[in-house]
Amino acid sequence: MAEFLCPFRKVFLAASLTFPLMSFAQESPLKLSGFLSLVGGRVVGASLGPSYEGPASVDGKRCPCYTADWGNAGVYRQQFSLEPESRAGLQAKYTLNSDINVVGQVVIRGTDPTPNIQWAYASYAPSKRWEFQLGRKRIPLYYYSDFQDIGASYPWVAVPPELYGWEATNYNGASMRFRSTVGDTNISASLFTGKETVTDSLYMRLYYDSKTRVTWSRLAGGDLEVTHGPLTVRGVYMQTTVRSVNPVEDYDDTAALKAYGVAANLDFEDWFVLAELTQLTRQFDSGYRVTAPAFTLGAGYRFGNWTPFLNYASYKERTDDLDAYAPQSFKRASFTLRYDIDAHSAVKGQVDRHQDVTRNFGGDVTVLRIAYDRLF
Protein backbone atom coordinates (compact mmCIF):
# COMPACT_ATOMS: atom_id res chain seq x y z
CA MET A 1 0.00 0.00 0.00
CA ALA A 2 1.30 3.42 -0.85
CA GLU A 3 2.90 5.27 2.05
CA PHE A 4 1.18 8.55 1.20
CA LEU A 5 -2.60 8.27 1.31
CA CYS A 6 -5.43 10.75 1.14
CA PRO A 7 -6.17 11.62 4.82
CA PHE A 8 -9.77 10.41 4.48
CA ARG A 9 -8.41 7.00 3.50
CA LYS A 10 -5.92 7.12 6.39
CA VAL A 11 -8.80 7.64 8.83
CA PHE A 12 -10.57 4.50 7.66
CA LEU A 13 -7.48 2.35 7.58
CA ALA A 14 -6.36 3.42 11.03
CA ALA A 15 -9.80 2.99 12.57
CA SER A 16 -10.37 -0.40 11.00
CA LEU A 17 -7.20 -1.65 12.63
CA THR A 18 -7.34 0.08 16.01
CA PHE A 19 -10.99 0.47 16.94
CA PRO A 20 -12.58 -2.95 17.54
CA LEU A 21 -16.29 -3.13 18.21
CA MET A 22 -15.64 -5.30 21.25
CA SER A 23 -12.83 -5.38 23.80
CA PHE A 24 -10.29 -8.09 23.19
CA ALA A 25 -6.95 -8.64 24.77
CA GLN A 26 -4.10 -7.25 22.70
CA GLU A 27 -2.93 -10.73 21.78
CA SER A 28 -6.36 -11.83 20.53
CA PRO A 29 -6.24 -13.02 16.91
CA LEU A 30 -9.77 -11.72 16.24
CA LYS A 31 -10.36 -8.05 15.46
CA LEU A 32 -13.78 -6.56 14.77
CA SER A 33 -14.46 -3.18 13.20
CA GLY A 34 -17.43 -1.51 11.57
CA PHE A 35 -18.87 1.50 9.84
CA LEU A 36 -22.15 3.37 9.56
CA SER A 37 -23.39 5.92 7.04
CA LEU A 38 -26.79 7.42 7.73
CA VAL A 39 -27.69 9.36 4.59
CA GLY A 40 -30.89 11.26 3.88
CA GLY A 41 -31.96 13.40 0.97
CA ARG A 42 -34.61 14.52 -1.44
CA VAL A 43 -35.07 15.92 -4.93
CA VAL A 44 -35.92 19.61 -5.26
CA GLY A 45 -36.29 21.87 -8.27
CA ALA A 46 -37.05 18.91 -10.53
CA SER A 47 -38.18 19.00 -14.16
CA LEU A 48 -38.84 16.39 -16.84
CA GLY A 49 -39.46 18.88 -19.60
CA PRO A 50 -41.64 18.45 -22.71
CA SER A 51 -38.96 16.45 -24.55
CA TYR A 52 -38.53 13.81 -21.84
CA GLU A 53 -38.74 10.27 -23.29
CA GLY A 54 -37.70 8.19 -20.28
CA PRO A 55 -39.63 6.03 -17.80
CA ALA A 56 -42.36 7.53 -15.64
CA SER A 57 -40.82 5.80 -12.61
CA VAL A 58 -37.50 4.16 -11.69
CA ASP A 59 -37.63 1.18 -9.31
CA GLY A 60 -41.07 2.29 -8.20
CA LYS A 61 -40.04 5.92 -7.60
CA ARG A 62 -42.02 8.32 -9.72
CA CYS A 63 -39.91 10.68 -11.82
CA PRO A 64 -38.47 13.25 -11.80
CA CYS A 65 -36.00 11.30 -9.67
CA TYR A 66 -32.27 10.90 -9.09
CA THR A 67 -30.32 7.64 -9.09
CA ALA A 68 -27.58 8.12 -6.49
CA ASP A 69 -26.48 4.48 -6.23
CA TRP A 70 -26.85 2.46 -9.43
CA GLY A 71 -25.41 -0.76 -8.06
CA ASN A 72 -27.90 -0.87 -5.19
CA ALA A 73 -30.92 0.86 -6.77
CA GLY A 74 -30.70 3.91 -4.53
CA VAL A 75 -33.17 6.42 -5.98
CA TYR A 76 -34.29 9.77 -4.51
CA ARG A 77 -37.52 11.51 -5.34
CA GLN A 78 -39.33 14.57 -3.96
CA GLN A 79 -39.97 13.13 -0.48
CA PHE A 80 -37.15 13.05 2.07
CA SER A 81 -35.81 9.51 2.49
CA LEU A 82 -33.05 7.68 4.36
CA GLU A 83 -33.41 4.56 2.22
CA PRO A 84 -31.37 5.12 -0.98
CA GLU A 85 -27.85 5.35 0.46
CA SER A 86 -27.86 4.51 4.20
CA ARG A 87 -25.72 1.50 5.06
CA ALA A 88 -23.82 -0.22 7.86
CA GLY A 89 -21.16 -2.88 7.92
CA LEU A 90 -19.27 -5.19 10.24
CA GLN A 91 -15.82 -6.56 9.42
CA ALA A 92 -13.93 -9.36 11.15
CA LYS A 93 -10.25 -10.19 10.72
CA TYR A 94 -8.82 -13.37 12.20
CA THR A 95 -5.05 -13.76 12.21
CA LEU A 96 -3.91 -17.36 12.03
CA ASN A 97 -0.20 -16.50 12.09
CA SER A 98 2.16 -13.81 10.84
CA ASP A 99 1.54 -14.83 7.21
CA ILE A 100 -2.12 -15.88 7.06
CA ASN A 101 -5.36 -14.13 8.01
CA VAL A 102 -9.04 -14.45 7.16
CA VAL A 103 -11.30 -11.45 6.51
CA GLY A 104 -15.09 -11.23 6.34
CA GLN A 105 -17.44 -8.26 5.93
CA VAL A 106 -21.24 -8.10 6.08
CA VAL A 107 -23.22 -5.04 4.92
CA ILE A 108 -26.88 -4.04 5.21
CA ARG A 109 -28.46 -1.21 3.24
CA GLY A 110 -31.58 0.86 3.19
CA THR A 111 -32.37 -0.61 -0.22
CA ASP A 112 -31.58 -4.17 0.92
CA PRO A 113 -31.84 -4.84 4.68
CA THR A 114 -30.78 -8.47 4.22
CA PRO A 115 -27.16 -8.88 5.41
CA ASN A 116 -24.93 -9.41 2.37
CA ILE A 117 -21.40 -10.78 2.41
CA GLN A 118 -19.09 -8.29 0.70
CA TRP A 119 -15.79 -9.82 1.80
CA ALA A 120 -14.91 -13.42 2.65
CA TYR A 121 -11.34 -14.24 1.76
CA ALA A 122 -8.12 -15.72 3.07
CA SER A 123 -4.87 -13.81 2.68
CA TYR A 124 -1.33 -15.19 2.56
CA ALA A 125 1.60 -12.77 2.73
CA PRO A 126 4.91 -14.69 2.65
CA SER A 127 6.83 -11.39 2.62
CA LYS A 128 6.29 -7.65 2.82
CA ARG A 129 6.26 -7.49 -0.97
CA TRP A 130 3.89 -10.29 -1.92
CA GLU A 131 0.30 -11.03 -0.90
CA PHE A 132 -2.08 -13.68 -2.26
CA GLN A 133 -5.84 -13.69 -1.60
CA LEU A 134 -8.53 -16.29 -2.30
CA GLY A 135 -12.29 -15.88 -1.81
CA ARG A 136 -14.86 -13.10 -2.18
CA LYS A 137 -13.73 -9.51 -2.72
CA ARG A 138 -14.68 -6.25 -4.40
CA ILE A 139 -13.91 -5.86 -8.09
CA PRO A 140 -11.08 -3.27 -8.00
CA LEU A 141 -12.26 -1.34 -11.05
CA TYR A 142 -12.22 2.08 -9.38
CA TYR A 143 -9.91 3.88 -6.99
CA TYR A 144 -12.43 3.73 -4.13
CA SER A 145 -13.86 0.29 -4.97
CA ASP A 146 -12.42 -1.45 -1.91
CA PHE A 147 -13.97 1.04 0.50
CA GLN A 148 -16.74 2.76 -1.45
CA ASP A 149 -19.23 1.96 1.35
CA ILE A 150 -17.04 3.71 3.95
CA GLY A 151 -18.37 7.26 3.91
CA ALA A 152 -15.68 8.51 6.29
CA SER A 153 -12.96 7.71 3.74
CA TYR A 154 -13.80 10.37 1.14
CA PRO A 155 -15.11 13.96 0.95
CA TRP A 156 -18.40 13.33 -0.91
CA VAL A 157 -21.62 12.09 0.69
CA ALA A 158 -21.12 9.04 -1.55
CA VAL A 159 -18.81 8.10 -4.42
CA PRO A 160 -19.74 9.64 -7.81
CA PRO A 161 -22.49 7.50 -9.40
CA GLU A 162 -21.33 8.49 -12.89
CA LEU A 163 -18.49 6.00 -12.43
CA TYR A 164 -19.35 3.73 -9.52
CA GLY A 165 -22.10 1.14 -9.71
CA TRP A 166 -22.79 -1.68 -12.17
CA GLU A 167 -24.59 -5.03 -12.19
CA ALA A 168 -21.79 -6.61 -10.16
CA THR A 169 -19.45 -5.06 -7.61
CA ASN A 170 -17.95 -8.22 -6.09
CA TYR A 171 -16.32 -11.38 -7.40
CA ASN A 172 -15.34 -14.83 -6.19
CA GLY A 173 -11.82 -15.68 -7.21
CA ALA A 174 -8.15 -15.05 -6.56
CA SER A 175 -5.74 -12.15 -6.62
CA MET A 176 -2.11 -11.40 -5.98
CA ARG A 177 -0.42 -8.09 -5.13
CA PHE A 178 3.18 -6.91 -5.29
CA ARG A 179 4.46 -3.90 -3.35
CA SER A 180 7.83 -2.20 -3.61
CA THR A 181 9.66 1.07 -3.04
CA VAL A 182 12.04 2.71 -5.46
CA GLY A 183 13.70 5.67 -3.79
CA ASP A 184 10.84 7.90 -2.60
CA THR A 185 8.31 6.22 -4.90
CA ASN A 186 5.91 3.52 -3.69
CA ILE A 187 4.61 0.99 -6.20
CA SER A 188 1.74 -1.47 -5.88
CA ALA A 189 0.51 -3.81 -8.61
CA SER A 190 -2.04 -6.62 -8.68
CA LEU A 191 -3.67 -9.24 -10.89
CA PHE A 192 -7.13 -10.69 -10.24
CA THR A 193 -9.49 -13.23 -11.77
CA GLY A 194 -12.82 -14.81 -10.92
CA LYS A 195 -16.58 -14.84 -11.47
CA GLU A 196 -19.76 -13.37 -10.00
CA THR A 197 -23.44 -14.30 -10.23
CA VAL A 198 -26.21 -11.99 -8.99
CA THR A 199 -29.60 -13.72 -8.87
CA ASP A 200 -31.60 -10.51 -8.43
CA SER A 201 -29.57 -7.57 -9.68
CA LEU A 202 -30.55 -4.31 -7.95
CA TYR A 203 -28.94 -2.44 -10.83
CA MET A 204 -31.26 -4.14 -13.31
CA ARG A 205 -34.27 -3.28 -11.13
CA LEU A 206 -33.78 0.27 -12.32
CA TYR A 207 -34.89 -0.99 -15.74
CA TYR A 208 -37.15 -4.01 -15.01
CA ASP A 209 -39.73 -4.67 -12.32
CA SER A 210 -38.93 -8.38 -12.24
CA LYS A 211 -35.78 -10.26 -11.24
CA THR A 212 -32.78 -10.31 -13.56
CA ARG A 213 -29.99 -12.84 -13.17
CA VAL A 214 -26.59 -11.43 -14.09
CA THR A 215 -23.36 -13.41 -14.46
CA TRP A 216 -19.90 -11.92 -14.91
CA SER A 217 -17.67 -14.82 -16.04
CA ARG A 218 -14.04 -15.08 -17.10
CA LEU A 219 -13.33 -11.91 -15.12
CA ALA A 220 -9.67 -10.90 -15.31
CA GLY A 221 -7.69 -7.73 -14.83
CA GLY A 222 -4.90 -5.87 -13.13
CA ASP A 223 -3.98 -2.52 -11.64
CA LEU A 224 -0.86 -0.46 -11.01
CA GLU A 225 -0.63 2.31 -8.40
CA VAL A 226 2.33 4.67 -8.01
CA THR A 227 2.78 7.25 -5.27
CA HIS A 228 5.46 9.92 -5.16
CA GLY A 229 5.16 12.76 -2.68
CA PRO A 230 1.73 14.38 -2.99
CA LEU A 231 0.82 12.55 -6.22
CA THR A 232 -0.89 9.16 -6.47
CA VAL A 233 -1.69 7.69 -9.90
CA ARG A 234 -3.55 4.43 -10.48
CA GLY A 235 -4.34 2.61 -13.71
CA VAL A 236 -6.58 -0.44 -14.12
CA TYR A 237 -7.73 -2.76 -16.90
CA MET A 238 -10.48 -5.40 -16.67
CA GLN A 239 -12.43 -7.66 -19.00
CA THR A 240 -15.30 -10.08 -18.49
CA THR A 241 -18.27 -11.70 -20.20
CA VAL A 242 -21.65 -10.44 -18.97
CA ARG A 243 -24.86 -12.42 -19.40
CA SER A 244 -28.20 -10.96 -18.25
CA VAL A 245 -31.36 -13.10 -18.16
CA ASN A 246 -34.88 -11.96 -17.31
CA PRO A 247 -37.50 -14.59 -18.25
CA VAL A 248 -40.45 -12.30 -17.47
CA GLU A 249 -39.21 -9.64 -19.88
CA ASP A 250 -38.04 -12.28 -22.39
CA TYR A 251 -34.57 -10.76 -22.16
CA ASP A 252 -31.39 -12.82 -22.57
CA ASP A 253 -28.28 -11.14 -23.86
CA THR A 254 -24.53 -11.57 -23.54
CA ALA A 255 -21.82 -8.97 -23.96
CA ALA A 256 -18.03 -8.86 -23.90
CA LEU A 257 -17.13 -6.10 -21.45
CA LYS A 258 -13.77 -4.32 -21.45
CA ALA A 259 -12.93 -1.48 -19.08
CA TYR A 260 -10.00 0.68 -18.20
CA GLY A 261 -9.53 3.54 -15.80
CA VAL A 262 -7.05 6.11 -14.55
CA ALA A 263 -7.15 7.96 -11.24
CA ALA A 264 -4.84 10.82 -10.23
CA ASN A 265 -4.92 12.42 -6.77
CA LEU A 266 -2.90 15.37 -5.52
CA ASP A 267 -2.74 16.17 -1.81
CA PHE A 268 -0.91 19.18 -0.37
CA GLU A 269 -2.32 18.73 3.16
CA ASP A 270 -4.63 21.78 2.96
CA TRP A 271 -5.52 21.64 -0.74
CA PHE A 272 -6.29 18.40 -2.56
CA VAL A 273 -7.53 17.34 -6.00
CA LEU A 274 -9.29 14.05 -6.85
CA ALA A 275 -9.67 12.96 -10.47
CA GLU A 276 -10.75 9.69 -12.06
CA LEU A 277 -11.85 8.60 -15.52
CA THR A 278 -13.03 5.29 -16.90
CA GLN A 279 -14.30 3.85 -20.15
CA LEU A 280 -16.40 0.70 -20.44
CA THR A 281 -17.17 -0.93 -23.78
CA ARG A 282 -19.77 -3.67 -24.24
CA GLN A 283 -19.96 -5.66 -27.46
CA PHE A 284 -23.33 -7.43 -27.39
CA ASP A 285 -23.88 -10.77 -29.07
CA SER A 286 -27.08 -9.32 -30.52
CA GLY A 287 -24.91 -7.12 -32.72
CA TYR A 288 -24.37 -3.65 -31.27
CA ARG A 289 -21.75 -1.89 -29.18
CA VAL A 290 -22.07 0.60 -26.31
CA THR A 291 -19.12 2.70 -25.15
CA ALA A 292 -19.41 4.66 -21.91
CA PRO A 293 -16.68 7.15 -20.97
CA ALA A 294 -17.07 8.80 -17.57
CA PHE A 295 -15.02 11.08 -15.35
CA THR A 296 -15.06 12.95 -12.05
CA LEU A 297 -12.92 15.93 -11.05
CA GLY A 298 -12.99 17.69 -7.71
CA ALA A 299 -10.98 19.98 -5.45
CA GLY A 300 -11.19 20.63 -1.73
CA TYR A 301 -9.59 22.64 1.05
CA ARG A 302 -9.14 21.62 4.68
CA PHE A 303 -9.18 24.19 7.43
CA GLY A 304 -9.56 22.92 10.96
CA ASN A 305 -12.37 20.38 11.06
CA TRP A 306 -14.04 21.78 7.93
CA THR A 307 -13.61 20.60 4.33
CA PRO A 308 -15.51 22.28 1.49
CA PHE A 309 -15.33 20.31 -1.78
CA LEU A 310 -16.39 21.17 -5.34
CA ASN A 311 -16.89 18.42 -7.92
CA TYR A 312 -17.96 17.92 -11.52
CA ALA A 313 -18.79 14.54 -13.06
CA SER A 314 -19.98 13.28 -16.43
CA TYR A 315 -21.22 10.02 -17.96
CA LYS A 316 -21.90 9.67 -21.68
CA GLU A 317 -22.87 6.62 -23.71
CA ARG A 318 -22.30 6.09 -27.41
CA THR A 319 -23.68 3.30 -29.56
CA ASP A 320 -23.26 2.12 -33.14
CA ASP A 321 -26.96 1.16 -33.39
CA LEU A 322 -29.49 3.72 -32.19
CA ASP A 323 -32.37 1.44 -33.14
CA ALA A 324 -31.12 -1.31 -30.84
CA TYR A 325 -30.15 0.91 -27.90
CA ALA A 326 -30.99 4.45 -26.76
CA PRO A 327 -27.86 5.86 -25.07
CA GLN A 328 -27.92 7.77 -21.79
CA SER A 329 -25.89 10.79 -20.79
CA PHE A 330 -25.64 12.70 -17.51
CA LYS A 331 -23.58 15.50 -16.02
CA ARG A 332 -23.55 16.82 -12.48
CA ALA A 333 -21.99 19.61 -10.45
CA SER A 334 -21.90 19.33 -6.66
CA PHE A 335 -20.75 21.11 -3.52
CA THR A 336 -20.04 19.23 -0.30
CA LEU A 337 -19.25 20.60 3.13
CA ARG A 338 -17.75 18.11 5.56
CA TYR A 339 -17.22 18.60 9.30
CA ASP A 340 -15.09 16.10 11.22
CA ILE A 341 -16.60 15.63 14.65
CA ASP A 342 -13.58 13.60 15.74
CA ALA A 343 -11.09 11.18 14.20
CA HIS A 344 -13.82 8.57 13.66
CA SER A 345 -17.00 10.46 12.72
CA ALA A 346 -18.11 13.23 10.40
CA VAL A 347 -21.20 15.00 9.12
CA LYS A 348 -21.65 16.18 5.54
CA GLY A 349 -24.06 18.28 3.56
CA GLN A 350 -24.18 18.15 -0.23
CA VAL A 351 -26.11 19.83 -3.01
CA ASP A 352 -26.07 18.34 -6.52
CA ARG A 353 -27.28 19.81 -9.78
CA HIS A 354 -27.86 16.83 -12.05
CA GLN A 355 -28.69 17.16 -15.75
CA ASP A 356 -30.29 14.35 -17.73
CA VAL A 357 -28.63 15.31 -21.02
CA THR A 358 -30.38 12.70 -23.18
CA ARG A 359 -33.76 13.35 -21.46
CA ASN A 360 -34.45 9.66 -21.02
CA PHE A 361 -33.75 8.66 -17.41
CA GLY A 362 -35.04 10.67 -14.46
CA GLY A 363 -35.02 14.25 -15.66
CA ASP A 364 -33.11 17.31 -14.47
CA VAL A 365 -33.00 17.60 -10.69
CA THR A 366 -31.39 19.38 -7.80
CA VAL A 367 -30.67 17.05 -4.87
CA LEU A 368 -30.07 17.95 -1.23
CA ARG A 369 -28.39 15.36 1.01
CA ILE A 370 -27.04 15.13 4.53
CA ALA A 371 -24.94 12.32 6.01
CA TYR A 372 -23.50 11.09 9.29
CA ASP A 373 -20.52 8.76 8.92
CA ARG A 374 -19.08 6.74 11.79
CA LEU A 375 -16.23 4.26 12.19
CA PHE A 376 -16.26 1.75 15.04
Side-chain angles (χ1 to χ4, degrees):
M1 182 173 296
E3 180 178 327
F4 186 93
L5 297 171
C6 169
F8 295 120
R9 188 173 178 181
K10 285 183 179 178
V11 168
F12 163 63
L13 292 172
S16 66
L17 294 175
T18 63
F19 266 73
L21 286 175
M22 300 173 61
S23 263
F24 291 94
Q26 187 175 358
E27 64 274 9
S28 172
L30 178 63
K31 301 296 182 183
L32 295 178
S33 59
F35 62 89
L36 167 71
S37 287
L38 189 63
V39 185
R42 59 163 298 188
V43 167
V44 298
S47 173
L48 291 179
S51 60
Y52 181 74
E53 296 180 350
S57 64
V58 174
D59 192 35
K61 280 77 172 178
R62 186 170 180 81
C63 295
C65 54
Y66 173 65
T67 304
D69 185 349
W70 290 80
N72 296 291
V75 182
Y76 289 101
R77 53 169 309 198
Q78 291 171 304
Q79 287 77 35
F80 181 85
S81 177
L82 295 169
E83 178 185 295
E85 294 180 285
S86 294
R87 57 205 181 270
L90 173 65
Q91 179 168 304
K93 179 180 180 180
Y94 188 85
T95 301
L96 296 173
N97 55 45
S98 60
D99 298 335
I100 303 174
N101 59 70
V102 179
V103 176
Q105 185 188 91
V106 176
V107 177
I108 59 173
R109 306 178 188 277
T111 56
D112 185 7
T114 303
N116 287 290
I117 298 175
Q118 301 294 316
W119 302 88
Y121 65 87
S123 176
Y124 171 59
S127 69
K128 292 183 178 180
R129 291 193 171 189
W130 289 98
E131 183 178 11
F132 302 89
Q133 297 179 341
L134 179 66
R136 183 167 181 78
K137 294 184 61 185
R138 276 285 174 84
I139 300 172
L141 180 56
Y142 304 106
Y143 184 82
Y144 292 95
S145 288
D146 280 354
F147 46 98
Q148 67 186 61
D149 286 330
I150 317 298
S153 61
Y154 41 73
W156 312 276
V157 164
V159 290
E162 291 78 12
L163 283 74
Y164 291 75
W166 292 96
E167 308 99 315
T169 56
N170 295 75
Y171 75 101
N172 301 301
S175 68
M176 67 177 188
R177 181 165 293 279
F178 173 79
R179 300 180 180 90
S180 185
T181 301
V182 180
D184 295 330
T185 302
N186 296 308
I187 300 171
S188 175
S190 80
L191 297 174
F192 56 92
T193 184
K195 180 181 179 179
E196 172 70 338
T197 298
V198 184
T199 57
D200 183 11
S201 170
L202 294 178
Y203 174 90
M204 297 300 289
R205 282 195 182 184
L206 299 172
Y207 298 94
Y208 302 118
D209 294 332
S210 50
K211 293 182 179 181
T212 304
R213 180 184 180 90
V214 177
T215 301
W216 283 29
S217 59
R218 296 191 291 274
L219 171 69
D223 70 83
L224 173 66
E225 184 173 314
V226 179
T227 298
H228 183 85
L231 176 64
T232 297
V233 178
R234 178 180 185 265
V236 62
Y237 174 80
M238 184 199 78
Q239 63 183 33
T240 187
T241 299
V242 181
R243 184 184 181 191
S244 303
V245 180
N246 187 315
V248 175
E249 301 291 337
D250 194 25
Y251 177 78
D252 185 346
D253 210 347
T254 302
L257 169 63
K258 295 183 179 181
Y260 66 84
V262 177
N265 297 335
L266 273 171
D267 199 309
F268 297 101
E269 295 186 3
D270 293 334
W271 287 95
F272 63 98
V273 177
L274 307 179
E276 187 169 8
L277 64 87
T278 61
Q279 179 164 298
L280 279 70
T281 300
R282 297 177 191 244
Q283 181 64 55
F284 288 86
D285 284 358
S286 50
Y288 66 96
R289 176 184 298 177
V290 176
T291 301
F295 75 88
T296 177
L297 175 63
Y301 180 76
R302 307 182 189 93
F303 60 98
N305 293 345
W306 296 93
T307 305
F309 186 80
L310 284 170
N311 198 82
Y312 181 80
S314 172
Y315 173 85
K316 185 176 182 179
E317 293 179 340
R318 299 189 296 265
T319 181
D320 57 1
D321 189 343
L322 291 173
D323 293 328
Y325 183 81
Q328 297 175 348
S329 180
F330 311 104
K331 56 184 179 180
R332 179 179 57 90
S334 66
F335 173 74
T336 310
L337 184 61
R338 169 177 174 145
Y339 178 78
D340 292 302
I341 301 171
D342 53 37
H344 316 290
S345 60
V347 292
K348 304 171 189 172
Q350 183 167 313
V351 56
D352 303 87
R353 181 55 187 169
H354 167 85
Q355 184 177 351
D356 180 3
V357 177
T358 45
R359 303 285 183 185
N360 62 2
F361 204 84
D364 296 342
V365 297
T366 298
V367 186
L368 301 178
R369 288 182 282 175
I370 56 173
Y372 170 72
D373 297 319
R374 176 74 184 177
L375 297 169
F376 301 98

